[in-house]
Amino acid sequence: MPKGYYRGAGFEGGSMMQQGPPGFEENTSPELLLLIGAVVLCLGFVLAFAGRVAWKHVMSFVGGAIGGIFGFVFGTAVGGVLVGLIVSILGAVIGSALFVFLAQLGLGVIAGLLTYVVAAAVIGDFVISAVLAAAAFVVTLVFAEEAIGVVTSVVGGLLVGIGLIWLDVTDMMIVVMVMLGTMVFGAAFQLVAIKEQREAKAVRAAAASAPAAPAMPGRACPRCGGPLTYVPEYNRYYCHRCQQYE
């Protein structure tokens, strides 16, 4: 082997050096490479523990931008700049919601395809593989929030591993353990957050639909001292003398 081969390949003395695209190390200062590695590491942790929230915002922003651009171009061509601005706002709203839904639909399609490939390789039966793929597609759509949380945790863990390598962590056992730990704890954190959000929504819905407070007999009007009448429709007391609600 020519001298410097292992250095160019990223190895020296049996240990791994900072990795990147071919030729990246030669054209990049070590300080910049460390900075990029730190950014990738932080991005990986964000995706692993909050990827579901960030994913929604990114998809919503991209869809809104595309919908707004198409709306402005179409509206301007039809009725001028003013109409273009109005249609642009409408297109941004529609595009934002549509992109989030299409992203979830695409996630279901990917889950179905992966399930079909694995089932076809293991089982070898087309019908069973197709049924399992359809089931995976439906389950992913029904539990889209959970699926997004798990996928973003896996991607975040991979980015954490890449960031550690670029930060010159040479022990691959540490890199793999941190990467897997980020995936597992990130997915668990996001799944727990989804569960807590759903429980909070259920509590708020139950509180909103709770029955009105019962009337208090003998309650007097603070203005005239006359008897108050409880009105269940408004959950308030009414004074017939003052003709006002308390």
Side-chain angles (χ1 to χ4, degrees):
M1 293 293 179
K3 187 177 180 179
Y5 173 81
Y6 290 102
R7 178 185 298 273
F11 295 89
E12 183 176 9
S15 63
M16 179 175 289
M17 299 179 67
Q18 293 173 345
Q19 298 294 303
F24 188 73
E25 294 87 345
E26 291 83 356
N27 302 323
T28 307
S29 64
E31 293 79 9
L32 181 58
L33 189 60
L34 291 175
L35 177 61
I36 295 175
V39 171
V40 172
L41 183 69
C42 294
L43 179 61
F45 281 121
V46 171
L47 279 178
F49 290 90
R52 180 178 56 90
V53 178
W55 177 87
K56 280 189 174 182
H57 287 298
V58 171
M59 290 295 103
S60 178
F61 175 78
V62 173
I66 295 176
I69 293 173
F70 275 98
F72 180 77
V73 172
F74 176 77
T76 303
V78 172
V81 177
L82 181 60
V83 176
L85 291 175
I86 296 175
V87 179
S88 174
I89 296 174
L90 181 61
V93 174
I94 296 175
S96 178
L98 188 61
F99 243 65
V100 174
F101 172 75
L102 290 178
Q104 293 179 351
L105 186 64
L107 188 63
V109 171
I110 293 174
L113 289 176
L114 291 177
T115 303
Y116 176 81
V117 170
V118 173
V122 175
I123 301 175
D125 187 275
F126 171 77
V127 177
I128 297 178
S129 300
V131 171
L132 292 176
F137 173 78
V138 173
V139 170
T140 303
L141 287 184
V142 173
F143 299 98
E145 294 286 332
E146 289 81 354
I148 293 169
V150 172
V151 170
T152 53
S153 297
V154 172
V155 174
L158 292 174
L159 290 179
V160 167
I162 295 173
L164 289 176
I165 292 175
W166 282 15
L167 289 174
D168 203 17
V169 178
T170 58
D171 193 336
M172 288 305 299
M173 180 63 67
I174 295 178
V175 173
V176 172
M177 290 180 62
V178 173
M179 182 175 63
L180 294 178
T182 302
M183 293 179 183
V184 173
F185 286 106
F189 179 83
Q190 294 198 64
L191 293 177
V192 170
I194 293 172
K195 181 181 178 182
E196 291 179 350
Q197 288 180 359
R198 289 179 176 171
E199 291 177 351
K201 287 182 179 179
V203 170
R204 288 195 297 267
S209 61
M216 297 176 60
R219 187 169 181 176
C221 176
R223 290 180 293 271
C224 67
L228 292 174
T229 302
Y230 179 71
V231 183
E233 291 80 4
Y234 301 103
N235 192 24
R236 299 176 67 183
Y237 290 88
Y238 184 78
C239 178
H240 291 279
R241 291 183 182 178
C242 301
Q243 294 184 352
Q244 292 181 3
Y245 283 99
E246 182 186 7

